[in-house]
Amino acid sequence: MGLELYSHNQKAYEAVEAMLGRRGKAAVVHPTGTGKSFIAFRLIEAHPEARFMWLSPSEYIFRTQRENLGRMDPEIPLEKVEFLTYAKLAGQGEEEGNKGIDYIILDEFHRCGAEVWGRGVERLLKERPGAKVLGLSATRVRYLDNQRDMGEELFGECIASEMTLGEAIARGILPAPRYVTTIFRYRQALDKYRQGIEGQKDRGLRAICGKELEALRRALERSEGLDQVFQRHMTNRSGKYLVFCSDYENLREMRSHTEEWFGGVNKEIHSYSAYSSDPESSRAFGKFQEDESEALKLLYCIDMLNEGVHVKGISGVVLFRPTISPIVYKQQIGRALTAGEGEKPLILDVVNNYEGLSSISYLKEEMHTAVQRLYGSGHGSEIVVEEFEIEEERQDVRELFERLERNLSSGWEEYYQAASRYAAEHGNLNIPKSYTTGEGLSLGSWITTQRKVRGGQQRGSLSERQIERLDAIGMVWENRLETAWERGYEHAKAYEEEYGNLLVPARYSSRDGFALGRWIANLRQSYANGERSALLNE
C-alpha cells in the first residue's frame, strides 16, 4: 500500500509531478504543520529507481521527518536519498558526491537566500542541470532581507501549490487555535513614546499625546501578572508546551521565572531547554518528547524548533517575543498546529511592544482574505472556520497604544494615505522619484525615503507596523521597475551604438541573454497605451 496523503497534499503532489515533467522544477508553499514533507516522500516512493538529494537547514528536521514517516510505515526506498544540510553542502568541493542525482529537494527553500548557503545551492544546480528540483517552504519571502522573493528567484512561475496560514485554518486543514494575547514589559515602550512626545513641535499635539500616555501608563499598571494569565488559560495542567524565547539570555531569564509564573498551573513542573548551539539539546528534546508524567511539561527553546520540527501531542505554545519577522512568527505558531489533529491548541502570545501587539491583526486579515477568495471562486463549501478569534487580555491597552501611535505618526499617515490612493489607482507603488501628488506631496521622494530608512541608508524611524501597512498596499522595497528600466536602457543604448538604430528584431537577445527585442516591443506598446508615462518622460 502506497503512502496516503491528505487531500490538499495529494492535489499539490499531482501538480508537482505535472510541473516537474513540463518544467523540471516545482515549489510548494504551504504553512507549517500541513505535511509538506510527505509530498516529497511520495515523490521518492513514486520513483524508486531515482537518486535524490534532500537539502535542509538542520539534521533535527531530517530526524523528525523520518520519525513521522516511520509511524506511517510505508515502504519508501530512503537508501536512495542523501540527506544533507545546506551548511555541509556549502563546505563541499565541486562535484563532491553530487554525481548521478536525479532529484534535488530544497526544504525550507527560502533559506537558500543566505549568502553562503545560497552559493552552495547555486553551485549544485549548475553541476546538475538535468536534475529535477522540488522546493518546500512555508514562505517564499525573506522579510528581513529586503523582501527577497526566493520563490521567484529559484522557481519563477513554477509554483505548483500555494496556501496561506489563514486559508489552511479557514479550510479546516489546520485547527483553529485559542489565540490569547497579553502584554509584558511595556516600560521600554513607554520611554520610547515619551521621547517621541517631547520631540513634537506642535504644542497642542504634545499635550494630547501626553494625556494619552498617562492613561496608557495607568492602564498597564492595572494589568494582571503573567502568573494569573497562565493559570487562567493553560487548562491542560499536565500538557506539553513550547516556550519560545528570543535569544539565550532571554531564555535564561524566562526560565528563572518558571515556578513564579507557572506554579499556579501545576505545582509539579518538568522544565527543559533546547537551542541549536547546545550539545545537550538533543537529549533534552528527547526527554521532553518521552515525558508522559502528570507534571506540566515546558520546553524553552530559541531557534531549534522554529521550522520543520514537529512534536507530537503539543498542547500549545507560549511566545515570549520582541517584534520578529513574519516567517519566524508563523513558524512558531505552526508548532502548535498540525493537520489531522482535532484538539484546539493554545497560543499564548506574550508581546512586549506595540508593534508586536498590532502585528496579530495581520493573521486576521490573511484569514479574511482567504475566506473572501474561496467564496469568490465558488469554493465556499470548503470553508470550515470564517473568523480568526483572538482573546485579548487587555483590549483597552491595545486601543490606547493605537491611538497614541496614530497621533504621533500623523505626518507619516498623510503620505501613507496618498500612497494608498496611488496604489488603488495604478495597481502598484512603482512611483518615479520625481512624482508629486495633486496636493503637492512629494510622494516619489517619500517612497524612496522609506526604502532608505528601512535599508539603513538614511536616518529615521520606521516601525514594524508601518512596514506591514506598506507591504499591504504593494510596497516593493527595491525599486525593480527603475532597475529593470536602467538595464533595458543600457542594452538599447549599446544596440544603437552598434547598429545605428533601434529597429530591434522581436526575438533578438543580447550576448548576456537580455531579451532586448521583447523589451523594446513592450516599451512601445506601453507608450501607445499611455502606461509608464512618468518613467518614460523622466
Side-chain angles (χ1 to χ4, degrees), residues 308-323:
V309 179
H310 287 275
V311 186
K312 198 74 175 174
I314 291 296
S315 300
V317 298
V318 180
L319 309 180
F320 280 113
R321 63 184 184 97
T323 304

Side-chain angles (χ1 to χ4, degrees), residues 461-476:
S461 175
L462 194 60
S463 72
E464 290 294 325
R465 177 58 176 160
Q466 289 171 332
I467 291 170
E468 288 173 4
R469 294 179 70 193
L470 285 168
D471 286 342
I473 59 172
M475 180 68 163
V476 177

Side-chain angles (χ1 to χ4, degrees), residues 465-528:
R465 177 58 176 160
Q466 289 171 332
I467 291 170
E468 288 173 4
R469 294 179 70 193
L470 285 168
D471 286 342
I473 59 172
M475 180 68 163
V476 177
W477 294 100
E478 290 180 349
N479 195 329
R480 297 177 185 177
L481 182 63
E482 290 182 7
T483 301
W485 162 262
E486 291 297 335
R487 187 181 179 205
Y489 177 77
E490 289 302 321
H491 281 89
K493 185 177 178 182
Y495 184 97
E496 196 275 336
E497 289 175 355
E498 183 173 352
Y499 296 102
N501 60 60
L502 280 178
L503 301 174
V504 187
R507 295 187 178 182
Y508 176 85
S509 293
S510 60
R511 293 182 183 87
D512 64 356
F514 183 79
L516 181 61
R518 188 169 60 193
W519 186 82
I520 288 287
N522 288 341
L523 200 63
R524 289 190 175 116
Q525 185 63 48
S526 295
Y527 183 77

Side-chain angles (χ1 to χ4, degrees), residues 335-478:
R335 299 286 74 80
L337 309 179
T338 303
E341 293 190 6
E343 291 188 16
K344 196 167 190 175
L346 170 68
I347 297 173
L348 237 166
D349 195 354
V350 186
V351 294
N352 68 357
N353 54 29
Y354 166 75
E355 287 87 353
L357 194 63
S358 62
S359 67
I360 297 154
S361 62
Y362 174 79
L363 287 176
K364 296 186 74 172
E365 182 60 31
E366 187 176 82
M367 190 167 176
H368 174 75
T369 300
V371 168
Q372 295 303 310
R373 185 185 62 77
L374 288 167
Y375 275 127
S377 60
H379 293 87
S381 60
E382 297 181 19
I383 298 171
V384 175
V385 182
E386 291 200 19
E387 294 289 338
F388 191 94
E389 298 294 341
I390 295 176
E391 301 175 39
E392 290 188 88
E393 280 291 305
R394 293 306 301 267
Q395 182 178 346
D396 60 329
V397 168
R398 176 180 57 79
E399 290 172 350
L400 284 166
F401 264 122
E402 288 176 347
R403 190 185 310 161
L404 186 55
E405 181 82 10
R406 195 159 49 242
N407 280 329
L408 282 173
S409 60
S410 57
W412 187 92
E413 185 68 26
E414 186 177 4
Y415 274 95
Y416 173 80
Q417 292 301 329
S420 297
R421 290 191 293 272
Y422 184 99
E425 182 178 348
H426 296 86
N428 60 63
L429 277 179
N430 296 318
I431 305 174
K433 188 175 181 180
S434 61
Y435 179 83
T436 300
T437 69
E439 297 83 19
L441 294 176
S442 301
L443 188 59
S445 178
W446 182 80
I447 287 287
T448 301
T449 298
Q450 304 312 296
R451 292 191 181 109
K452 289 182 177 179
V453 168
R454 189 181 183 195
Q457 301 161 317
Q458 183 171 319
R459 292 182 65 182
S461 175
L462 194 60
S463 72
E464 290 294 325
R465 177 58 176 160
Q466 289 171 332
I467 291 170
E468 288 173 4
R469 294 179 70 193
L470 285 168
D471 286 342
I473 59 172
M475 180 68 163
V476 177
W477 294 100
E478 290 180 349

Side-chain angles (χ1 to χ4, degrees), residues 197-216:
I197 292 169
E198 290 172 354
Q200 284 290 325
K201 295 179 180 179
D202 187 321
R203 292 185 179 181
L205 182 59
R206 198 159 62 228
I208 291 170
C209 291
K211 291 179 181 179
E212 290 176 347
L213 182 66
E214 179 59 23
L216 177 59

Side-chain angles (χ1 to χ4, degrees), residues 53-57 62 84-86 89 104-107 121 124:
M53 176 176 281
W54 189 314
L55 294 163
S56 185
F62 295 142
L84 203 66
T85 64
Y86 289 116
L89 174 70
I104 298 169
I105 297 171
L106 302 178
D107 202 0
V121 171
L124 174 66

Side-chain angles (χ1 to χ4, degrees), residues 85-102:
T85 64
Y86 289 116
K88 189 171 182 179
L89 174 70
Q92 284 186 345
E94 292 189 10
E95 296 285 347
E96 185 179 335
N98 298 335
K99 295 178 180 178
I101 298 171
D102 302 298

